[in-house]
Amino acid sequence: MSQAVLDVRPFEQIPRRLAHRMRPLVAGAAGEVLADVRRGGPGGVPPGDGRAAAEIRAEIVAGLGHFLDLVDDPRAAWDRVAAAHRALGRDLAVRGHDLEETHRALRRTARAAWRTLIALAESLEVDRETLGLIADAQFAYMDAAAAEAVRGWEAERPDRGAAGEDALRRRRARLLSLLLSGAGEDEIADAARGARWRTPRTVAAVALHPRTDPGPDGPFPAPPDVLADLAGPEPALVVPDPDGPGRARLTEALLRDWIVVVGPTVPPARAAESMRWARHALAVTRRGHIDGTAVVRCMDHVPLLVIFTAEDLIAHAADSRLAPLRALTPAQADRLAETLLSLLENNFNATEAGNRLHVHPQTVRYRLRHLEELFGSDLQDPRRCLELEMILNARARTGALSGA
């Protein structure tokens, strides 16, 4: 059975001096992270895990030691690291773990190791570019290391081996990674063939965030054509033909355990774009500006997502565009700002704006005359009106962008 191939390129770009600075800190950082996790903090090793804390901590320390060995000399160290993970797989098999339990144990330890690695990097004030290299290296390491652990398990339990199924799982994980990283159509098509995935006409990326810490650890009962990664730092799905029958039920089934945000429907080669919007909408949802109790669909919140994409710029614009309201009392400014937003959203129809505000149309007309005195020709300029509508929408939703 051939050894897994490790992509050493990200390791070769990480400064070796960083590994030397991290080594003395690994044991202490692992202990702190594990203690935080077992107190109920965010992480991947639940307090009820049957293994002793010391054993889990030792696994985290060993895994990070292997990672730093690979930073020191990735090509020379990989044979030794691969052998250690095969031995780990054999040990799990001897102790009676089935293949799914083995995967689960590896995921749990990997999550805690990832937290420890990031905590170390942040404590050493590592720059953002190096953090990205560490992330790329960690993903490459865990993919290859997990493959070696499964090989060890299968060598010890050949009667229950699932090499073909596991290889397919890894190919589908790689396909998902390619789709979400913006790979080219040819590369995606080759990976899809290897993963036995029929390339659909359209897809939607789905960003997920667990409602509890630690997040769900059980299997995801998805249809075979849905690509899923629920164990990584940013859980995600790619759903083929997302507007087809039954797809809404698929995402709704996740709501008990996850905040679920569905990106725009796009061709497969643009899945990364769909995920970019899904993750942006997830961030806005987690800030409380979108209701996350139901499935969040980006295309239902386009104006809001555009506003929060340019939040800083809109805040700067509010300072000047809403300046005419500053001479008023706060109550007057709020009342006129609310009226102006309703008028802009209803094409300056006083009756419709009044219905929205629950006031008489004549009251709206009186306020409009006051607004015309304050804003002058701005209310006759379509571009300035659009700008005001965006600013007032942001102001109404956050209160933080008020220029009044």
Side-chain angles (χ1 to χ4, degrees), residues 204-236:
V206 180
L208 303 169
H209 185 79
R211 295 190 185 276
T212 59
D213 286 320
D217 192 47
F220 172 54
D225 61 340
V226 174
L227 303 174
D229 173 16
L230 272 63
E234 295 182 299

Side-chain angles (χ1 to χ4, degrees), residues 366-377:
Y366 169 77
R367 293 178 186 174
L368 175 57
R369 286 194 292 273
H370 194 178
L371 287 164
E372 288 171 337
E373 293 171 3
L374 291 169
F375 287 89
S377 61

Side-chain angles (χ1 to χ4, degrees), residues 325 331-350 352-354 356-372 375 379 392 395-396:
L325 299 178
Q332 289 175 319
D334 286 343
R335 186 162 56 248
L336 285 180
E338 183 183 36
T339 301
L340 178 55
L341 177 58
S342 186
L343 284 164
L344 290 165
E345 291 178 334
N346 290 280
N347 199 27
F348 286 91
N349 184 306
E352 293 295 330
R356 177 81 62 87
L357 297 170
H358 305 291
V359 299
H360 194 278
Q362 193 59 36
T363 300
V364 176
R365 294 186 186 99
Y366 169 77
R367 293 178 186 174
L368 175 57
R369 286 194 292 273
H370 194 178
L371 287 164
E372 288 171 337
F375 287 89
L379 299 188
L392 290 168
R395 180 183 188 275

Side-chain angles (χ1 to χ4, degrees), residues 26-380:
V26 164
E32 291 175 9
V33 167
L34 184 58
D36 181 38
V37 168
R38 296 182 76 83
R39 284 194 300 268
V45 185
D49 193 301
R51 294 177 292 165
E55 181 182 351
I56 300 172
R57 179 176 175 274
E59 290 175 6
I60 297 170
V61 171
L64 289 175
H66 292 149
F67 181 89
L68 297 177
D69 288 345
L70 290 166
V71 174
D72 275 339
D73 192 347
R75 297 184 187 279
W78 174 235
D79 287 345
R80 182 173 68 256
V81 173
H85 281 84
R86 286 195 297 273
L88 172 63
R90 288 195 297 271
D91 181 60
L92 289 169
V94 168
R95 290 162 59 184
H97 292 274
D98 64 24
L99 196 56
E100 180 56 36
E101 289 172 330
T102 298
H103 279 294
R104 193 172 301 153
L106 291 169
R107 287 197 299 268
R108 287 174 176 173
T109 304
R111 289 175 188 169
W114 170 248
R115 278 201 63 204
T116 306
L117 191 60
I118 290 302
L120 282 173
E122 290 177 346
S123 72
L124 296 173
E125 298 183 348
V126 171
D127 62 77
R128 185 173 297 180
E129 181 180 356
T130 304
L131 279 175
L133 293 173
I134 290 173
D136 291 343
Q138 172 72 356
F139 292 138
Y141 166 54
M142 287 313 306
D143 186 45
E148 288 302 310
V150 170
R151 282 180 169 83
W153 188 95
E154 291 173 346
E156 191 65 38
R157 301 282 295 274
D159 56 316
R160 298 190 183 183
E165 181 181 342
D166 194 66
L168 182 62
R169 185 184 296 113
R170 291 196 301 274
R171 287 195 290 268
R172 288 169 70 84
R174 178 175 179 271
L175 171 61
L176 177 60
S177 177
L178 289 172
L179 285 164
L180 297 184
S181 65
E185 292 186 18
D186 291 343
E187 190 173 8
I188 290 172
D190 288 343
R193 283 192 291 271
R196 301 178 193 169
W197 190 70
R198 182 186 62 81
T199 304
R201 187 175 60 84
T202 59
V203 300
V206 180
L208 303 169
H209 185 79
R211 295 190 185 276
T212 59
D213 286 320
D217 192 47
F220 172 54
D225 61 340
V226 174
L227 303 174
D229 173 16
L230 272 63
E234 295 182 299
L237 309 175
V238 166
V239 179
D241 302 318
D243 303 318
R247 292 314 199 193
R249 289 194 299 274
L250 166 69
T251 49
E252 288 165 1
L254 292 163
L255 282 171
R256 187 188 69 177
D257 296 321
W258 302 89
I259 298 172
V260 182
V261 181
V262 182
T265 297
V266 295
R270 293 171 59 193
E273 176 185 326
S274 180
M275 179 54 77
R276 184 169 65 254
W277 281 108
R279 286 179 175 151
H280 175 53
L282 176 60
V284 174
T285 301
R286 293 185 64 199
R287 288 172 60 183
H289 300 302
I290 300 176
D291 178 12
T293 60
V295 174
V296 176
R297 303 184 187 282
C298 286
M299 299 310 294
D300 293 339
H301 302 278
V302 170
L304 181 62
L305 294 180
V306 171
I307 286 171
F308 279 98
T309 300
E311 189 173 358
D312 291 343
L313 183 61
I314 290 174
H316 289 306
D319 290 339
S320 61
R321 299 297 182 250
L322 299 184
L325 299 178
R326 290 202 193 107
L328 308 177
T329 67
Q332 289 175 319
D334 286 343
R335 186 162 56 248
L336 285 180
E338 183 183 36
T339 301
L340 178 55
L341 177 58
S342 186
L343 284 164
L344 290 165
E345 291 178 334
N346 290 280
N347 199 27
F348 286 91
N349 184 306
T351 301
E352 293 295 330
N355 290 339
R356 177 81 62 87
L357 297 170
H358 305 291
V359 299
H360 194 278
Q362 193 59 36
T363 300
V364 176
R365 294 186 186 99
Y366 169 77
R367 293 178 186 174
L368 175 57
R369 286 194 292 273
H370 194 178
L371 287 164
E372 288 171 337
E373 293 171 3
L374 291 169
F375 287 89
S377 61
D378 281 358
L379 299 188
Q380 308 300 320

